[in-house]
Amino acid sequence: MATFLYKLGRLAFRRRHFAALIWVALLTLAGVGAASAPVAGSSSFSIPGTEAQKAFDLLESRFPGMAADGATARVVFKAPAGEKMADKDNKATVEKAVKVLGTGSEVTSVADPFKTHAVSKDGSIAYASVKYEVSGMELKDASKDALNAAAQDARDAGLTVEVGGDALQATPETGSTEIIGIAIAAVVLVITFGSLIAAGLPLLTALIGVGIGVSTITALASVLDLGSTTSTLAMMIGLAVGIDYALFIVSRYRAELAEGREREEAAGRAVGTAGSAVVFAGLTVVIALVGLSVVNIPMLTKMGVAAAGTVAIAVLIALTMIPALLGYAGRRVQPAGKKSRLLGGARAAKKAGKPNMGTRWASFVVRRPLAVLLLGVVGLGAAAIPAASLELGLPDDGSQPTSTTQRRAYDLLSDGFGPGFNGPLMVVVDAKASDDPKGAVARVTDDVKDLKSVVSVSPATYNKAGDTAMITVIPDAKPSSVTTENLVHSIRDAGGEIRADTDSTVLVTGSTAMNIDFSQKLNDALIPYLALVVGLAFLLLIVVFRSILVPLKAALGFLLSVMAALGAVVAVFQWGWLSGLMGVEETGPIMSMMPIFMVGVVFGLAMDYEVFLVTRMREAYVHGEKPGQAIVTGFKHGARVVTAAAVIMIAVFSGFIGSSESMIKMIGFGLAIAVFFDAFVVRMALVPAVLALMGKKAWWLPRWLDRALPNVDVEGEGLRALDEKPRDGDDDRELARV
């Protein structure tokens, strides 16, 4: 592989105009496609194989036109102090608002609170339910404006009015901190390289790669049913890996120049060596992201595949566009004067006569490996302790900031009707096979009323055939509580007995039940997913490092870092530690997909640093150095760049903490803290400590396996033959064969 990539790098360097033109054309094509594509809404949310999803599917077939997955809005009215909603003026205001709401083109129904008895016991609060034929993200702006206008007219008449539900769902905003993250990345690159040109190349190529990826996602969003969160995730990961991959190749190019090589030769060798590491690092990230499909949740699968596509683009750009841009930059990527000692390679280090920080740190760890290992493991173990208290759930309006109308509507409904009113359960009774459908539905209603934690049960609503009914159940606890989850299981358990007695099927659905089933499905898939992703990556790393123990150590180190990161997420978002600093206004359960998502993404990113750092050690070991010295050599050449890459990735991920979407905020923080733990504790401390303790055994591989494995030559052993003869230039026809 090293030889192939070496030729590819030289070809891109020599044919720089052609290489740059291809990527600019792809960016333009993707941009035009995104601009001309229809605006896509949110990705349809479905959980195949769950009871809640089966109930929704049944409702769509038995209640045609009801739009079970359509947007809903609850317009909540509160009378002024000392007044009642039934007072003449207040009632007239509400009825006028209901009439206006019913005129919307996408509205399927509006419930008058005075006709549906949707007035609190004390008479101070009432609500009108509005149902739409499309989802919240698909609602036209005109429908949202009409909803807000009706609410504002009622406010002007003297009532307190708030709007809950998903009808006002908006595309999440990342905030200015995303720009700050990119700015920090730029500063780190300038400090690392000591050259504005060299610092600008990784940023430029990363932005081009993300532009192509996100524009392609936007162009295909409507066709493939991709939501707004999909492009945000692709942007987050694409920026981070795009900068990192380019950083490693530019760094190696500068080191090759410092060794006295010509520019084209240096570009070829940089792509042949560092580029090999980029390819395998990118493969681990792609495996981890595409592996999310094992969960069998379409939304998660699409997010993973789209992000994986952006990572693949970042790898291709690093291998082809970076050497092309290096051809344009000339020797201006090298710092001037004394600054060349910052990252000038072996020659600069010799001139300086002083070992760099990476060398000194690695030497310290090699001398005291056991102490460093114990300190690192204990520290990560302590950070992981909060993970034992992990509570999973999905965010609802109760987790919104108190400044939003959705949260204020949630609180008003809780005050007027009880906390469980915000999470009603929909019980669907399929009595088509029953001899007495109405009797079966009555049995279900009576049994559910007798269950603990039930506040009220609504009269059944039948379909036209009279063989299917819907019953609304109000719990006595908030939607995200354990009490409500236990109630869902109790209803389902009772449904089993009812089915045996009446040949009727009882299903529980609604947003609360969907959240419970979603969390359970993710929990059930975590171990199979972990086994699949870690197993495939383990096999890949055996090929890369030609070792059994090094990949095993890499996987165990990842488990430590991801558990510590989950502990930090629990401490901030569930316990509330430093929540003000992170902009977390409301604490609560951790998002259900967070553990499995962090496992996938963090594993891929963790292997990036493992590959980049340990391949330099492997390269030194293959070239004849002793195990301990190979560790020091690997850190001498790679520690500074890995540190810069980690800081950049942390800055990029931290930029998304400013998002208005709680899921994006949590993912940004989780990935940032995970990269910190993995890069600076696991890879920079535990990895050299474990390798020092294992010595030569670290690179042991059974002979039969060594013969069976393909030789991918990540360390560039095949390029050593090129040192025996000068390579002033290759024939174009040889390069064209790449």
Side-chain angles (χ1 to χ4, degrees):
M1 174 177 285
T3 303
F4 170 79
L5 293 179
Y6 163 80
K7 293 179 179 180
L8 179 63
R10 288 182 60 123
L11 178 64
F13 184 95
R14 181 171 294 184
R15 298 283 183 257
R16 61 186 72 105
H17 303 312
F18 183 67
L21 181 62
I22 288 177
W23 287 111
V24 171
L26 287 175
L27 178 62
T28 304
L29 184 64
V32 171
S36 59
V39 178
S42 61
S43 177
S44 57
F45 185 75
S46 63
I47 317 174
T50 61
E51 180 172 317
Q53 187 62 48
K54 291 177 182 176
F56 266 122
D57 296 340
L58 181 65
L59 288 174
E60 288 184 0
S61 63
R62 302 285 176 85
F63 291 82
M66 100 172 257
D69 59 348
T72 60
R74 279 180 171 174
V75 184
V76 187
F77 306 90
K78 183 177 181 180
E83 298 182 18
K84 302 291 184 182
M85 290 305 305
D87 293 349
K88 183 179 179 180
D89 291 343
N90 295 336
K91 185 176 181 180
T93 300
V94 172
E95 289 175 340
K96 179 181 177 182
V98 169
K99 185 177 181 180
V100 172
L101 289 169
T103 60
S105 60
E106 296 178 299
V107 175
T108 59
S109 65
V110 180
D112 187 324
F114 299 106
K115 294 179 180 178
T116 58
H117 308 291
V119 182
S120 62
K121 289 183 179 180
D122 64 2
S124 64
I125 298 175
Y127 71 91
S129 294
V130 187
K131 292 187 178 181
Y132 296 87
E133 59 187 15
V134 295
S135 66
M137 290 297 290
E138 294 172 318
L139 272 182
K140 296 177 181 177
D141 289 339
S143 296
K144 295 181 180 182
D145 293 341
L147 180 59
N148 285 321
Q152 187 58 49
D153 289 343
R155 290 190 190 102
D156 294 339
L159 298 179
T160 298
V161 186
E162 305 295 346
V163 183
D166 60 352
L168 293 182
Q169 185 177 0
T171 302
E173 299 176 358
T174 53
S176 59
T177 51
E178 177 188 347
I179 306 300
I180 296 175
I182 296 176
I184 293 174
V187 172
V188 172
L189 286 170
V190 171
I191 294 175
T192 301
F193 287 131
S195 164
L196 289 175
I197 298 294
L201 292 183
L203 281 176
L204 175 62
T205 55
L207 290 174
I208 290 175
V210 167
I212 294 173
V214 172
S215 296
T216 302
I217 292 171
T218 304
L220 299 176
S222 180
V223 177
L224 300 180
D225 191 26
L226 304 177
S228 58
T229 307
T230 303
S231 59
T232 305
L233 174 65
M235 182 189 303
M236 183 188 302
I237 296 177
L239 271 176
V241 301
I243 294 174
D244 278 6
Y245 295 165
L247 167 64
F248 280 102
I249 291 179
V250 172
S251 171
R252 188 61 181 254
Y253 172 75
R254 286 156 52 96
E256 295 294 337
L257 286 180
E259 293 293 338
R261 304 192 193 281
E262 293 299 320
R263 293 190 297 119
E264 184 178 330
E265 178 71 9
R269 287 179 177 267
V271 176
T273 52
S276 297
V278 165
V279 169
F280 282 98
L283 274 176
T284 59
V285 180
V286 169
I287 287 173
L289 291 170
V290 173
L292 289 170
S293 59
V294 77
V295 184
N296 193 27
I297 294 178
M299 180 188 73
L300 203 56
T301 299
K302 292 171 185 176
M303 289 173 63
V305 171
T310 307
V311 172
I313 292 172
V315 171
L316 293 174
I317 283 183
L319 298 178
T320 56
M321 192 171 186
I322 281 293
L325 294 180
L326 290 174
Y328 288 118
R331 291 189 175 271
R332 286 173 291 178
V333 296
Q334 286 286 72
K338 296 180 180 179
K339 290 183 180 179
S340 62
R341 297 179 182 177
L342 288 173
L343 196 65
R347 177 175 295 182
K350 289 178 181 178
K351 288 182 179 181
K354 180 181 178 181
N356 61 20
M357 181 66 74
T359 302
R360 296 197 299 272
W361 170 250
S363 300
F364 170 79
V365 175
V366 169
R367 291 195 304 269
R368 297 175 177 81
L370 189 58
V372 172
L373 178 62
L374 291 176
L375 184 61
V377 171
V378 170
L380 290 177
I385 289 175
S389 302
L390 178 67
E391 295 178 8
L392 297 177
L394 286 179
D396 55 18
D397 285 348
S399 61
Q400 295 268 14
T402 53
S403 59
T404 62
T405 186
Q406 292 95 330
R407 172 58 188 276
R408 291 196 292 263
Y410 181 98
D411 292 339
L412 283 176
L413 289 172
S414 295
D415 294 341
F417 302 92
F421 195 80
N422 285 292
L425 305 176
M426 185 182 296
V427 179
V428 182
V429 184
D430 180 5
K432 192 171 185 177
S434 176
D435 296 333
D436 182 14
K438 290 192 176 181
V441 173
R443 164 79 184 277
V444 173
T445 303
D446 292 338
D447 286 1
V448 172
K449 283 181 179 178
D450 293 337
L451 291 175
K452 186 180 179 181
S453 305
V454 173
V455 172
S456 65
V457 178
S458 71
T461 301
Y462 290 89
N463 65 339
K464 289 184 178 180
D467 57 11
T468 306
M470 292 186 301
I471 303 170
T472 301
V473 180
I474 305 298
D476 66 358
K478 63 181 182 179
S480 58
S481 68
V482 176
T483 302
T484 301
E485 181 177 350
N486 291 336
L487 176 59
V488 171
H489 294 312
S490 296
I491 296 174
R492 288 173 174 172
D493 292 340
E497 299 178 3
I498 294 171
R499 181 170 187 173
D501 295 339
T502 65
D503 290 328
S504 300
T505 301
V506 179
L507 303 172
V508 184
T509 188
S511 59
T512 301
M514 286 285 278
N515 290 351
I516 292 171
D517 288 352
F518 183 72
S519 299
Q520 186 60 50
K521 192 173 181 68
L522 288 171
N523 288 340
D524 293 342
L526 182 58
I527 299 301
Y529 172 70
L530 190 62
L532 173 68
V533 171
V534 175
L536 289 175
F538 181 77
L539 295 176
L540 182 66
L541 292 179
I542 288 178
V543 174
V544 174
F545 296 127
R546 308 195 77 77
S547 164
I548 298 292
L549 297 178
V550 171
L552 180 61
K553 171 263 310 169
L556 294 176
F558 151 73
L559 291 176
L560 274 175
S561 59
V562 79
M563 288 303 298
L566 275 176
V569 170
V570 170
V572 173
F573 290 88
Q574 185 176 310
W575 290 1
W577 294 3
L578 301 178
S579 57
L581 182 63
M582 298 296 167
V584 180
E585 295 190 26
E586 294 296 326
T587 59
I590 302 304
M591 184 180 56
S592 300
M593 69 173 68
M594 196 66 188
I596 198 167
F597 186 80
M598 283 190 65
V599 165
V601 178
V602 175
F603 181 79
L605 300 179
M607 294 306 103
D608 276 5
Y609 300 116
E610 181 76 14
V611 170
F612 288 133
L613 194 60
V614 180
T615 48
R616 291 306 293 259
M617 300 179 192
R618 169 76 182 174
E619 184 178 342
Y621 180 76
V622 168
H623 292 170
E625 293 188 8
K626 293 182 178 180
Q629 184 57 41
I631 295 172
V632 176
T633 300
F635 268 76
K636 174 183 177 181
H637 293 291
R640 182 182 181 87
V641 182
V642 168
T643 300
V647 172
I648 288 169
M649 196 170 279
I650 291 169
V652 171
F653 287 147
S654 297
F656 289 85
I657 297 176
S659 173
S660 60
E661 176 67 37
S662 60
M663 182 175 77
I664 300 298
K665 182 188 292 287
M666 192 179 295
I667 288 175
F669 173 79
L671 294 183
I673 197 69
V675 169
F676 173 80
F677 286 143
D678 196 88
F680 293 108
V681 181
V682 175
R683 308 302 154 191
M684 302 292 285
L686 299 188
V687 165
V690 172
L691 291 177
L693 289 171
M694 289 192 295
K696 289 185 178 181
K697 295 179 181 177
W699 308 107
W700 172 80
L701 187 69
R703 290 185 179 180
W704 63 268
L705 184 57
D706 187 37
R707 291 192 297 269
L709 291 176
N711 183 13
V712 295
D713 190 21
V714 176
E715 60 273 1
E717 180 68 18
L719 299 181
R720 298 192 70 188
L722 300 176
D723 293 329
E724 299 175 2
K725 56 181 180 178
R727 299 289 298 254
D728 293 331
D730 281 352
D731 190 285
D732 287 350
R733 289 172 296 180
E734 178 185 352
L735 290 170
R737 289 199 300 267
V738 175

